[in-house]
Amino acid sequence: MRFVQHVVSGSRRLSVVVDDLAADVAGILEQRVLVADGYRGERAARLAAHLAPTELADFLALGEAAMDRARAVAECVAADRDSTAATGYLTPLADLTYASPCSPTSALYCAGLNYRDHVAEQAGRAVSEYPSIFLRIADSVVGHRQPLVRPSGVSVDLDFEGELAVVIGRPCHRVAAADALSHVAGYTVFNDGSVRDFQKRGPELFPGKNFFHTGAMGPWLVTADEVGDPQDIDLTTTLAGEIMQSSNTRYMIFDVATLIATVSDFSYLQPGDVIATGTPAGVGFRRTPPRFLVPGERITVTFDRVGTLENDIIDETDRR
């Protein structure tokens, strides 16, 4: 299944993707499934909100029971698309206002220098014996088809990094790598947008990685059973129609399971938490001449079996 977080009238909603449609899980559960079971009105609305929260992290925390409800909603749509559309909770994907799958209360951990060719393009850097982990804050990341903001008031060195992101489905703490993948809900696409001059001003990555709306995630969460082996996924990053990055997740230095185990050593990972797994070679600041993101351009990051994340670039003055 694919789950998409989107915005309706200023509120975040959670839908399951059925063909080219987003089926609002809580809304359709209330209007179709619960009504069939005899629930009505406010009672049905309260029960739907409890059984199918509209925030991905809260939904995942309910475990397999929530997944079963989402399947029931998807089956309801597939069986009777026209009647389901009449509920008002069915939206074409093309009409969605996408939000990041990372919930505002969830943690976003990022792995740095996790592909050998990316390490090699960093002059003088050696492969680390331990994963490098840093944090991003929620308002630094936007959803699919939402604009990335170049902070031109202080910098024009906005770079791109196409990455696979893993979303935790079951809590874990100090989990062994051999068991780590059993805690995965699914995967999404991440662009770890980086303001390079701020990133290099001091020893910490945090400032350059956390400018407002410089990163992106989406378009959706694809459940782990549909993705399969996370260490055999082709990736491509394209800027203004030109391929910038082309690789495969098999070239990670630390695989997904190892990254989960590493983060769980120091953190209690919760459903909805995200771990971005690093980027391969081809980033803009290592090109000659450097190739940064320019307002008016479009950046896309594609992972096979996961999806394509697409964002246009704007200047910060354009959003005022």
Side-chain angles (χ1 to χ4, degrees):
M1 285 187 292
R2 291 177 291 165
F3 291 92
V4 59
Q5 194 85 63
H6 56 107
V7 177
V8 178
S9 300
S11 298
R12 285 166 64 95
R13 303 291 297 185
L14 182 66
S15 289
V16 60
V17 177
V18 182
D19 299 325
D20 60 343
L21 299 171
D24 187 302
V25 179
I28 294 175
L29 186 73
E30 174 189 345
Q31 295 293 321
R32 296 296 304 276
V33 179
L34 293 180
V35 166
D37 290 338
Y39 293 91
R40 296 288 189 279
E42 184 63 26
R43 187 183 180 201
R46 288 197 306 269
L47 185 56
H50 174 71
L51 295 176
T54 58
E55 195 59 59
L56 179 61
D58 298 330
F59 182 86
L60 294 176
L62 297 181
E64 192 57 34
M67 291 294 180
D68 288 342
R69 292 172 198 128
R71 291 187 191 97
V73 166
E75 290 169 2
C76 179
V77 173
D80 194 352
R81 180 167 167 155
D82 291 340
S83 294
T84 307
T87 67
Y89 289 111
L90 207 57
T91 307
L93 294 177
D95 295 340
L96 288 183
T97 299
Y98 287 83
S100 167
C102 185
S103 299
T105 57
S106 296
L108 171 53
Y109 303 93
C110 301
L113 297 174
N114 195 34
Y115 283 75
R116 293 185 184 277
D117 60 356
H118 184 46
V119 174
E121 69 179 353
Q122 316 286 319
R125 299 297 292 263
V127 174
S128 173
E129 296 182 4
Y130 188 82
S132 172
I133 306 293
F134 59 93
L135 285 166
R136 286 194 72 133
I137 56 179
D139 73 359
S140 72
V141 178
V142 299
H144 176 56
R145 294 182 183 165
Q146 303 308 303
L148 295 181
V149 179
R150 187 179 73 168
S152 303
V154 292
S155 176
V156 294
D157 293 353
L158 178 59
D159 207 348
F160 54 87
E161 295 189 8
E163 308 191 12
L164 180 71
V166 54
V167 181
I168 299 299
R170 294 196 298 124
C172 59
H173 180 54
R174 295 180 183 159
V175 66
D179 299 323
L181 294 184
S182 69
H183 293 266
V184 172
Y187 300 89
T188 189
V189 183
F190 183 55
N191 183 353
D192 187 25
S194 307
V195 182
R196 295 299 188 189
D197 49 349
F198 274 77
Q199 182 182 331
K200 295 183 288 185
R201 284 187 176 186
E204 297 298 329
L205 296 176
F206 189 87
K209 295 288 189 176
N210 282 281
F211 273 75
F212 180 78
H213 287 192
T214 50
M217 188 183 298
W220 40 56
L221 165 78
V222 181
T223 52
D225 60 301
E226 292 200 4
V227 174
D229 182 3
Q231 301 312 144
D232 187 20
I233 306 175
D234 288 331
L235 69 99
T236 306
T237 302
T238 303
L239 175 59
E242 180 183 358
I243 294 177
M244 299 283 112
Q245 296 177 292
S246 181
S247 189
N248 186 285
T249 55
R250 71 172 65 96
Y251 300 119
M252 288 181 188
I253 298 168
F254 304 102
D255 63 16
V256 170
T258 299
L259 292 176
I260 295 171
T262 298
V263 175
S264 78
D265 278 346
F266 62 83
S267 180
Y268 285 84
L269 286 169
Q270 298 297 321
D273 285 349
V274 179
I275 301 174
T277 58
T279 197
V283 295
F285 87 110
R286 285 302 177 187
R287 293 177 172 270
T288 305
R291 181 66 168 91
F292 294 119
L293 302 178
V294 176
E297 294 182 327
R298 178 170 295 172
I299 183 81
T300 64
V301 182
T302 298
F303 280 82
D304 287 354
R305 308 194 306 277
V306 180
T308 295
L309 172 66
E310 177 182 289
N311 302 90
D312 291 337
I313 316 304
I314 66 170
D315 195 270
E316 63 181 352
T317 57
D318 295 333
R319 58 176 297 273
R320 293 172 183 170

